[in-house]
Amino acid sequence: MVGEPKGWTYLSLLEACDNFPYNITPEEVYYQLYLPNDDQPHGYLLPEVVQKMPWTSHFQVNHSQPRSVTVIDSSRGKDTAGAVNAAFQELIDLCIEKNLFHIIDAKHSEPFKIVSAKYPVHMERFASALFGITSQGSYITAYTKAADGTMKLWIARRAAHLYTSPGMLDATVAGGIRADSNPLDTVIHEADEEASLPENLVRERTRSVGVLTYLCVTGANFPGEKGLVIPDIIYLHDLELPSDVIPKPHDDEVEVFYSMTVGEVQKALLNGEFKPDSAAVLIDFFIRHGIIRADNEKDFIEINTRLHRRLPFRWPKY
């Protein structure tokens, strides 16, 4: 499963996630997404997406610099959130009906919050990347420790049929945060669904240990549209499992779980065998557990800063 490293570094793995250029002025390149009664943008749209999108009368598209797409409040202040949700849903329904975008795949998906909004609005998950809104995920890295302190990590292999990163190695448990959920409830649900881990054990033993932020642009390895901007927030959790608790696939998203030593995980990372965001999660895990340190990693400072990028849109609050 793991051979000699093939040339990746921890920093280059992070650059595969946090790959939005630092030296551009976004409003000169993208259309900015605005919501009613809010002067701050909430997403970046590619010009080719704007051109292809079947805009309805509930959107105002401005093609002059700075270019923008603004949702119109058809309720005139009586129910702004409801009007915004209805506008996005009508638009996404048209995209699905006409099968316009590969990333949507002509399918409906669960609702995700527009986390930068001042009021509760959402859109379907598959469509969210087209609008460049902030994405949220919640992850668990599960591990065991022997009496002598030796650590092993539970690593998932993604099923071959998944849309993104099929067959690649992954964190123990991961899931996007639905509009009606939060980081802890998400990993509790996903731990049962993906790894057959009981709720009481996960709730009792899981520790919230931080958050990662980065700004991604979809590239050559992404199966959908290229160049989409995805600001990403990942909530991190550690879970030390008893030695007799073994994660087992429950749904069809995980092929198998491996119990891997730290060295095996490091080699797999540097071989490029992990899903990109999960590689970032594991690099952070190794930093927090003293495995990657300033004395053994020349890019230690830049790695830490790339794990915690300032995002261009308003932070979510729970």
Side-chain angles (χ1 to χ4, degrees):
M1 180 173 59
V2 179
E4 288 302 310
K6 296 179 181 177
W8 288 86
T9 66
Y10 294 129
L11 181 57
S12 65
L13 288 168
L14 293 182
E15 289 170 342
C17 287
D18 184 43
N19 62 352
F20 186 89
Y22 281 77
N23 60 349
I24 69 168
T25 304
E27 54 267 31
E28 295 179 355
V29 180
Y30 302 97
Y31 285 72
Q32 297 181 92
L33 175 67
Y34 287 91
L35 301 179
N37 309 314
D38 193 344
D39 60 0
Q40 293 193 33
H42 298 270
Y44 296 146
L45 293 88
L46 282 171
E48 49 265 46
V49 169
V50 173
Q51 183 178 9
K52 195 174 183 180
M53 190 70 68
W55 301 109
T56 69
S57 60
H58 300 304
F59 293 85
Q60 181 179 9
V61 181
N62 172 32
H63 298 292
S64 300
Q65 291 283 358
R67 295 172 296 182
S68 63
V69 173
T70 303
V71 187
I72 296 171
D73 181 6
S74 61
S75 76
R76 299 182 179 179
K78 295 179 181 178
D79 181 13
T80 301
V84 171
N85 289 335
F88 278 125
Q89 193 59 59
E90 179 185 17
L91 185 61
I92 293 167
D93 287 347
L94 285 172
C95 292
I96 292 173
E97 178 185 329
K98 299 174 182 291
N99 195 16
L100 292 177
F101 297 99
H102 191 285
I103 194 171
I104 298 180
D105 197 26
K107 297 174 184 175
H108 287 288
S109 52
E110 66 268 35
F112 268 27
K113 281 182 183 178
I114 302 178
V115 298
S116 53
K118 297 190 291 186
Y119 37 82
V121 289
H122 59 260
M123 71 171 63
E124 292 190 18
R125 178 182 185 179
F126 293 169
S128 62
L130 295 170
F131 296 87
I133 66 168
T134 302
S135 172
Q136 291 191 110
S138 196
Y139 285 58
I140 285 179
T141 303
Y143 63 97
T144 58
K145 274 190 175 180
D148 63 359
T150 302
M151 178 187 291
K152 286 191 171 183
L153 287 75
W154 283 108
I155 300 299
R157 184 173 295 283
R158 294 169 62 79
H161 67 83
L162 294 179
Y163 186 78
T164 57
S165 305
M168 299 192 77
L169 297 179
D170 206 345
T172 318
V173 170
I177 302 174
R178 292 174 53 98
D180 58 355
S181 192
N182 59 58
L184 179 59
D185 287 345
T186 295
V187 290
I188 289 171
H189 171 78
E190 297 292 341
D192 170 57
E193 190 173 78
E194 295 181 354
S196 306
L197 295 174
E199 177 180 344
N200 59 342
L201 179 143
V202 176
R203 192 176 291 277
E204 177 184 342
R205 288 178 167 264
T206 295
R207 294 186 303 115
S208 173
V209 292
V211 65
L212 305 184
T213 53
Y214 59 85
L215 197 50
C216 177
V217 179
T218 59
N221 293 328
F222 186 71
E225 284 73 15
K226 318 303 180 191
L228 301 177
V229 180
I230 306 176
D232 211 354
I233 297 172
I234 296 179
Y235 294 86
L236 302 170
H237 303 82
D238 284 359
L239 173 58
E240 183 175 353
L241 288 175
S243 59
D244 60 344
V245 175
I246 299 174
K248 297 180 179 66
H250 188 188
D251 61 12
D252 64 349
E253 296 189 3
V254 176
E255 179 183 315
V256 65
F257 286 97
Y258 304 111
S259 177
M260 298 174 64
T261 67
V262 168
E264 288 171 336
V265 174
Q266 288 177 301
K267 285 184 179 180
L269 280 168
L270 299 177
N271 279 338
E273 296 181 35
F274 274 89
K275 183 172 176 271
D277 53 353
S278 296
V281 168
L282 287 162
I283 290 169
D284 180 84
F285 180 90
F286 286 154
I287 291 171
R288 290 185 291 101
H289 287 265
I291 295 160
I292 298 175
R293 307 180 304 275
D295 65 318
N296 65 13
E297 172 52 60
K298 64 182 178 64
D299 296 314
F300 188 72
I301 293 175
E302 186 170 1
I303 286 169
N304 276 273
T305 59
R306 296 297 284 268
L307 287 167
H308 304 98
R309 182 169 183 166
R310 181 78 181 179
L311 298 182
F313 309 124
R314 194 182 288 126
W315 300 108
K317 294 183 179 180
Y318 285 97

